[in-house]
Amino acid sequence: MSLAITTRSYDNTRSGANTQETILTPTAIRTRGIKVLFRLDLPGDARGCEAQPLIVPGVKLADGSTHDVVYVATMANQVFAFDANSGAQLWMKQYGTPINGSADIDEHLINEHWGILSTPVIDAHAGVMYACIWTSNNGSYKNGQHFLHAIRLSDGSEIHPALNLEGVTYTPGHGRPVQKFKSAERKQRAALLLLNGTVFMAFGTVAETAKTARGWLIAVDTAKFQVTATWTSTSHGSGGGIWGSGGGPAADANGNIYVTTGNGDFDGVTDFGESIVKLRYTPPSGNNPGSLAVVDWWTPWTDDGRTGGNPDGEAAKQPEAKAKPTNYRRDKALARQFGARAAMNMAGSWGDQDLGAAGPVLVPDLGVILSSNKDGILYTVNMNNLGKTVPTDLDPTHAANNYAKLKAPPIFYTYYPGTQNSPAPANSTALNFWGDNCTHHLHGTPVLWKSAAHGWTHFCWGENGNLRAWALSNAGVSTYLACSAEVASADCVDSAAPDGPKGGMPGGMISLSANGDQDGVIWASIPYTDANMVKSPGRFLAYDAANFGKYSDGSGSIPPLWDSQQWNWQFLHNKFNRPVVWNGRVYLPTYEGEVWVLGLA
């Protein structure tokens, strides 16, 4: 039986690789090309799905028939079941009224609705999908609440009454105030995680600069269908949302859970903004409640340090290196007048560097966590000893010791700005620059594969940059291999002016298919313009993941096996969604309200 795709990025390590694909080989793609086989129509929302499609073979439906089924959850709070081979709709269910799109949620008004934003998770053995649904009785986000639903794969019926998360609490200790979950403050973009009979849901924030901003992780026992543990990333300060551009918390074989947090406060006690955090879940036992406990973490810098406001850190000792302070009210006014990118440049919003823009990828065989961010820097963290950064580690006189806690030194990952810049500076304000006058954020996790040609290999595609391949040694050291010539957001106009545009979002959304350690293919969807601010036309490409070429200067190149541009394909790029490969087909989510199903021509 074919592989079941039950979670975002194929597995709980978030590798992004399906290594059981035998049909879509580089030779077959190069020889035959790719065509659209059929489309999965998602009426109800103009953009369709933000959640990755999931696929389960051999599902017995309520009518007794058996199908390989692709499940698609949409922003209209609908779940569709389609025959994965023919595209025929098998069933569709509605789960509450979605939130109406508004500038209160996303000022660019790309989305018509906000409903099932995150990728659900499936227990294929039990025949159940778990989905977090944001719903409102009148479509207003202020009245919206988050529910966990347990949905039968056979017909979409619900096993339990929906579990309302409103009002659950977390007690942080250390004299910090008890936190209460309020749906109106939360945005649940991160994919769900299923681990040992428990579903974990990670949350960010609707208003990331509000005092109420923070990350949440909520555990639900699937048998009892009740909340068993909670954790917030900040409780003394604020921020630290968990979103990862739609990626999910990762988990290892020992039951440890790993998240990366975004902009927020850090003290290494109860506040873990801008951190890679390892948590341990203990289920309830007897009279003892369940718990989510931080057991380790590593932090590269603080937001205050990045903007010149940290009295204990680098900026106070290096006043000449201070960045302009963030002024979010001014940012918003400038955004209306000049556009979001120009506003960011003019206001100097260097605090928005968001380590949590890309979720973690685990390499358990090497004891490594791969994590990148909006700086486009790769941090290779030691899974077995993250380092427990404390605020004094971020002082310029101690920064080298903090970097030394990593498995390998940081590297520029999505773009190389030259030797005049360091990815591991003592003063973190030195990271406040745009390489080649463009942003090079990484949105979404890297893709990891162990190939016969190069051993452990990982790939990234940052915004305003190209696909890049890296070899990962047993010691955790990454070595550059090759890059593509194709660039994400290539039609964004660049400018040498200080306040000019800095390119477009979000870079390439990539996944990998392979037959074990052979026949690896990178599948990529990239925008032509800024897919954050407009509905951008998209470009779809396939690359050989192991056999690279050479540029004229002798450096490695990754030429495309197939390129939609040569065939004048017209579709809208889906901002944070990845192609999914299964049994000789590629399921490509678009912002056309459709999932395109592709195969060999």
Side-chain angles (χ1 to χ4, degrees):
M1 184 177 288
S2 301
L3 172 76
I5 301 173
T6 59
T7 191
R8 170 88 175 203
S9 300
Y10 298 108
D11 51 54
N12 282 354
T13 66
R14 308 304 183 186
S15 70
N18 171 5
T19 57
Q20 298 183 37
E21 174 56 46
T22 60
I23 299 171
L24 294 170
T25 66
T27 298
I29 296 165
R30 190 181 294 109
T31 303
R32 296 176 56 182
I34 298 293
K35 70 175 183 180
V36 179
L37 302 176
F38 49 86
R39 294 174 173 86
L40 307 179
D41 189 28
L42 307 172
D45 184 84
R47 303 284 75 78
C49 62
E50 296 277 351
Q52 176 196 292
L54 301 172
I55 303 171
V56 181
V59 177
K60 187 174 182 179
L61 301 185
D63 64 4
S65 63
T66 300
H67 299 258
D68 300 334
V69 184
V70 54
Y71 297 93
V72 185
T74 78
M75 291 287 262
N77 277 340
Q78 297 171 333
V79 175
F80 290 82
F82 298 97
D83 187 289
N85 300 297
S86 70
Q89 182 177 311
L90 303 172
W91 56 258
M92 184 279 286
K93 296 290 185 180
Q94 180 80 44
Y95 303 96
T97 303
I99 311 296
N100 295 324
S102 71
D104 292 321
I105 302 172
D106 186 345
E107 63 181 326
H108 306 302
L109 299 177
I110 301 295
N111 292 99
E112 182 180 21
H113 299 105
W114 294 80
I116 306 175
L117 176 59
S118 62
T119 300
V121 68
I122 289 175
D123 183 337
H125 179 73
V128 183
M129 170 191 289
Y130 298 97
C132 185
I133 293 174
W134 197 12
T135 184
S136 168
N137 58 0
N138 65 355
S140 165
Y141 91 93
K142 292 183 179 180
N143 292 333
Q145 295 187 343
H146 287 93
F147 293 82
L148 181 66
H149 290 244
I151 299 166
R152 287 187 177 90
L153 299 183
S154 59
D155 60 4
S157 61
E158 299 196 57
I159 295 174
H160 307 281
L163 179 62
N164 192 346
L165 304 179
E166 188 73 14
V168 302
T169 60
Y170 171 65
T171 304
H174 301 278
R176 307 310 197 207
V178 172
Q179 300 298 316
K180 186 175 182 179
F181 184 89
K182 298 180 181 178
S183 282
E185 299 169 352
R186 303 287 154 239
K187 185 183 285 186
Q188 206 278 304
R189 187 183 289 277
L192 273 57
L193 170 70
L194 177 63
L195 183 65
N196 300 328
T198 302
V199 170
F200 298 89
M201 292 167 285
F203 290 79
T205 302
V206 174
E208 294 182 357
T209 61
K211 290 183 179 180
T212 54
R214 56 187 39 87
W216 278 79
L217 189 64
I218 298 177
V220 173
D221 181 281
T222 59
K224 297 180 179 179
F225 212 59
Q226 63 186 29
V227 174
T228 52
T230 58
W231 175 73
T232 64
S233 59
T234 55
S235 56
H236 183 243
S238 63
I242 305 169
W243 65 289
S245 301
D252 64 26
N254 296 320
N256 297 302
I257 300 167
Y258 302 80
V259 299
T260 53
T261 63
N263 305 320
D265 292 310
F266 171 77
D267 63 11
V269 180
T270 60
D271 290 356
F272 294 93
E274 308 289 24
S275 300
I276 302 161
V277 184
K278 180 178 183 178
L279 299 114
R280 184 71 183 178
Y281 171 66
T282 302
S285 177
N287 294 324
N288 298 317
S291 65
L292 276 163
V294 174
V295 295
D296 211 348
W297 67 92
W298 186 81
T299 308
W301 29 260
T302 64
D303 290 341
D304 281 346
R306 289 295 293 264
T307 57
N310 185 354
D312 300 316
E314 53 268 41
K317 302 177 188 302
Q318 305 267 349
E320 72 280 1
K322 286 185 180 180
K324 297 176 185 178
T326 300
N327 184 324
Y328 291 98
R329 182 173 295 175
R330 182 186 174 208
D331 284 3
K332 197 165 186 177
L334 290 168
R336 286 194 293 267
Q337 185 175 358
F338 299 106
R341 289 287 160 143
M344 182 180 71
N345 304 337
M346 287 184 275
S349 301
W350 288 111
D352 184 25
Q353 288 310 298
D354 220 349
L355 188 73
V361 174
L362 308 185
V363 195
D365 288 1
L366 306 182
V368 160
I369 307 167
L370 301 177
S371 180
S372 189
N373 69 325
K374 287 185 179 179
D375 288 320
I377 292 170
L378 179 70
Y379 297 107
T380 306
V381 183
N382 186 339
M383 275 183 67
N384 302 312
N385 184 6
L386 276 67
K388 292 189 171 78
T389 301
V390 295
T392 54
D393 288 334
L394 305 177
D395 186 283
T397 59
H398 299 147
N401 294 332
N402 193 45
Y403 292 126
K405 296 175 181 180
L406 295 170
K407 191 81 169 180
I411 60 171
F412 286 113
Y413 192 42
T414 60
Y415 174 82
Y416 182 63
T419 56
Q420 72 274 18
N421 297 290
S422 169
N427 187 308
S428 66
T429 58
L431 297 173
N432 295 349
F433 67 91
W434 288 286
D436 197 25
N437 204 40
C438 284
T439 56
H440 297 284
H441 304 171
L442 185 65
H443 291 278
T445 53
V447 164
L448 175 72
W449 177 48
K450 190 174 185 179
S451 73
H454 303 287
W456 286 108
T457 314
H458 52 105
F459 301 83
C460 66
W461 197 323
E463 61 188 31
N464 310 301
N466 46 17
L467 174 67
R468 299 168 76 82
W470 301 81
L472 182 65
S473 75
N474 289 339
V477 176
S478 294
T479 303
Y480 172 77
L481 294 173
C483 71
S484 72
E486 296 73 38
V487 174
S489 300
D491 290 351
C492 284
V493 178
D494 192 18
S495 170
D499 296 335
K502 300 298 178 185
M505 281 181 64
M509 298 294 106
I510 61 175
S511 63
L512 185 144
S513 64
N515 181 12
D517 62 2
Q518 305 286 333
D519 291 331
V521 177
I522 288 286
W523 305 91
S525 177
I526 62 174
Y528 282 102
T529 61
D530 187 345
N532 185 49
M533 297 180 65
V534 300
K535 295 181 282 290
S536 172
R539 184 178 182 182
F540 182 69
L541 302 115
Y543 297 90
D544 192 314
N547 299 299
F548 306 137
K550 295 285 186 183
Y551 290 113
S552 59
D553 63 359
S555 62
S557 70
I558 314 178
L561 295 166
W562 191 88
D563 183 355
S564 69
Q565 184 171 278
Q566 296 181 355
W567 300 91
N568 197 32
W569 281 18
Q570 303 293 319
F571 68 92
L572 294 178
H573 175 77
N574 193 307
K575 184 170 69 170
F576 291 142
N577 221 329
R578 289 181 156 187
V580 177
V581 182
W582 178 84
N583 200 31
R585 290 181 171 84
V586 183
Y587 297 82
L588 175 66
T590 74
Y591 266 178
E592 308 276 0
E594 298 174 328
V595 174
W596 288 15
V597 183
L598 318 175
L600 294 173

